[in-house]
């Protein structure tokens, strides 16, 4: 096991605790699913671990892409912030680092993301991000504690019902994805 890595903007790698599939041993169907999933999937231990169930990985990748990359609805930055907030609650350092960097790229607000990474969900945040963080933390709780007050808070800062649904989908996607990732491996610093 590696040393515990704090929440960070640093680019990390994820290492599987099992033996990921070797690309040269994958079937043409598995390679097609990897190519559809992510540009880095053929060299990424997470995808090479999940490819053993190619139908599940294909469904996971289609769902992920539909939730995180649509052109309509909530802004990409808001989805990335929601994913990072959920990852912060779940303890998934790897996902938090990936989505923190994406939030900064799309949202242009490194100080707010640094506060979330360093201080957690209770960090001081601008009102829109505060509403997302509170919603993400409540939705990520076990059992989920999100309620009408969280939806009202998101509406109050200007989100439409469609955007609230999009943010909820991002949180729910990562509540599942983080738990899977945390069950199968761990982050490491790049060599």
């Amino acid at each position: 096991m590696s040393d515990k890595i704090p929440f960070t903007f640093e680019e990390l790698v994820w290492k599987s605790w099992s033996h990921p599939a070797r690309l040269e041993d994958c079937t043409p169907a598995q390679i097609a699913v990897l190519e559809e999933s992510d540009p880095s999937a053929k060299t990424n231990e997470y995808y090479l671990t999940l490819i053993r169930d190619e139908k599940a990985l294909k469904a996971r990748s289609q769902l992920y892409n539909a939730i995180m990359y649509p052109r309509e609805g909530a802004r990409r930055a808001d989805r990335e912030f929601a994913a990072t907030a959920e990852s912060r609650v779940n303890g998934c350092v790897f996902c938090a680092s990936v989505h923190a960097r994406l939030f900064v790229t799309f949202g242009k607000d490194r100080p707010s993301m640094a506060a979330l990474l360093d201080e957690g969900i209770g960090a001081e945040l601008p009102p829109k991000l505060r509403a997302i963080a509170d919603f993400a933390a409540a939705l990520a709780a076990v059992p989920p504690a999100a309620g009408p007050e969280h939806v009202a808070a998101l509406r109050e800062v200007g989100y439409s019902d469609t955007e609230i649904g999009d943010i909820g989908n991002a949180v729910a996607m990562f509540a599942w994805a983080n738990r899977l990732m945390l069950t199968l491996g761990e982050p490491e610093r790049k060599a």
Side-chain angles (χ1 to χ4, degrees):
M1 255 184 149
S2 65
D3 292 332
K4 184 165 170 79
I5 299 169
F7 287 94
T8 179
F9 285 106
E10 180 182 351
E11 189 174 343
L12 305 171
V13 294
W14 184 85
K15 293 302 212 175
S16 180
W17 290 330
S18 68
H19 299 288
R22 294 177 339 145
L23 188 61
E24 57 269 22
D25 296 333
C26 288
T27 67
Q30 288 174 315
I31 290 173
V33 170
L34 289 169
E35 289 172 346
E36 291 172 26
S37 296
D38 186 271
S40 70
K42 290 194 219 176
T43 58
N44 183 306
E45 284 196 21
Y46 183 62
Y47 288 98
L48 291 170
T49 298
L50 298 182
I51 195 59
R52 290 199 171 94
D53 184 344
E54 72 189 65
K55 289 179 183 173
L57 178 57
K58 182 177 180 108
R60 174 254 177 236
S61 295
Q62 289 172 337
L63 180 62
Y64 179 91
N65 293 340
I67 289 171
M68 296 304 290
Y69 303 141
R71 293 179 186 217
E72 63 284 335
R75 293 178 329 129
R76 174 82 182 271
D78 294 335
R79 294 168 200 260
E80 298 296 348
F81 190 85
T84 309
E86 194 291 324
S87 297
R88 185 69 171 82
V89 170
N90 257 346
C92 191
V93 171
F94 180 84
C95 285
S97 74
V98 169
H99 297 283
R101 289 190 310 276
L102 288 167
F103 170 77
V104 171
T105 297
F106 293 104
K108 310 293 187 224
D109 183 359
R110 188 177 177 96
S112 292
M113 183 52 71
L116 178 67
L117 292 177
D118 294 344
E119 301 166 36
I121 292 296
E124 188 173 326
L125 298 167
K128 282 190 148 192
L129 298 181
R130 170 83 277 134
I132 292 173
D134 291 344
F135 181 57
L139 189 54
V142 178
E149 67 276 14
H150 296 96
V151 172
L154 288 162
R155 280 189 188 126
E156 189 173 304
V157 295
Y159 290 107
S160 70
D161 288 348
T162 298
E163 291 167 325
I164 293 167
D166 293 340
I167 292 166
N169 280 337
V171 172
M173 178 75 204
F174 280 89
W176 172 79
N178 289 169
R179 285 175 174 91
L180 183 61
M181 191 169 255
L182 291 167
T183 300
L184 298 174
E186 66 187 332
E188 291 184 359
R189 288 191 160 89
K190 279 186 132 179

